[in-house]
Every structure is written in C-alpha cells, then in structure tokens.
Amino acid sequence: MNRKALLANALGAILIALLLNGIIFFFHWDQTDSGNLPPWFSPPDWFVGAVWVVLFAGMGAARWLALRRGATRPALWVAILFLVCALYPFYTGGFRLLPGFIGNLVTVALAAWVATRLWPHSRPAAALVLCVVLWVSFATVVVAAELHWL
C-alpha cells in the first residue's frame, strides 16, 4: 500500500464528509427545532461540519495505516465506524436530541473499541480514531446540556 492509497482513503473520506455536510445544510438539519437553546459552549454548525471533515479524513488514514500493516480486520472495523458516523444524520432523524444522544453513546463505545483493536497494529491509526472518541464525547455533553440533563 503506497501513498496514493493513503490519498485515496483520506480524499474519499473527505468527499463523503463534504457530501454529507451538503445534505445536512440542504435539508436544514443543522437547525434545531427542539426549542432548546444550545449551551454556551456549543460550537457553531460550520465548525462542527469542518471537524467532521477532518475526522473523516483521519478515519480514512487510519484505515490505510491498518491495511498497510496487514491488519485487515481492524481496517474493516474502521470502515464500519466510518459508516456509523456517516449515517448518523439519518438514524437520528436529522439530529433529534434523544436519538442523537443514544447515537453518540454508541459511536463513542464503537470508536473506543476500534482504537483498542488498532493499537497493537498502528498507534497512529489508533490515535486518529481516538480523536473521534474525544469529539463525540464532547458532542454528547453538548446534547446532554441541551436536554437539560446537566
């Protein structure tokens, strides 16, 4: 696996993230209709979208790093994590709060598990997936605050 494969994995992931951002903004899923005000520490929607572009690129690179080390099963788990993240706006009904909270918990658990599977093969790949754990953990706190659970 060469650097062109790395670029293909990362750029493919970025294109999917950009497409998803376009769908989210086209259908106005970025606008909450819950009546709840976001907490003061909630980042703006454009920033959230930008972070996901970076996280998707990181997952693409993590998949490449795993494949480069011959770790096909961990690479498959990265692809599954990527799919779970990509489908998030759809299975949460356009970012509804309670399904989003549950989806975040599942995503954090899956990403942490994937990182543990990657660690023996590629610590940089595991670190890239841990970025997903950190970001989605933060997003879970934002959603919990918006639900007035904090």
Side-chain angles (χ1 to χ4, degrees):
M1 305 267 320
N2 58 22
R3 302 243 182 248
K4 287 182 184 177
L6 169 62
L7 283 175
N9 276 276
L11 290 177
I14 288 170
L15 288 174
I16 290 170
L18 291 173
L19 175 66
L20 285 170
N21 279 330
I23 291 169
I24 289 164
F25 289 111
F26 179 79
F27 287 108
H28 303 288
W29 288 347
D30 58 315
Q31 299 170 4
T32 181
D33 60 353
S34 67
N36 297 340
L37 290 174
W40 63 269
F41 55 88
S42 181
D45 294 335
W46 65 265
F47 184 80
V48 173
V51 168
W52 275 108
V53 170
V54 172
L55 291 174
F56 273 42
M59 285 186 277
R63 181 180 174 278
W64 175 79
L65 287 166
L67 287 172
R68 190 177 75 157
R69 298 284 176 104
T72 55
R73 178 118 6 190
L76 174 63
W77 281 108
V78 173
I80 291 169
L81 174 63
F82 181 89
L83 185 62
V84 166
C85 292
L87 293 177
Y88 180 88
F90 302 101
Y91 66 75
T92 61
F95 301 103
R96 292 179 45 222
L97 291 177
L98 186 57
F101 183 82
I102 294 166
N104 285 356
L105 294 178
V106 170
T107 303
V108 167
L110 177 61
W113 188 82
V114 170
T116 65
R117 297 296 171 247
L118 285 168
W119 186 260
H121 305 285
S122 172
R123 290 185 179 161
L128 289 167
V129 171
L130 283 174
C131 292
V132 175
V133 173
L134 292 173
W135 178 255
V136 179
S137 294
F138 170 70
T140 304
V141 171
V142 171
V143 172
E146 200 166 341
L147 286 166
H148 304 291
W149 293 353
L150 296 178

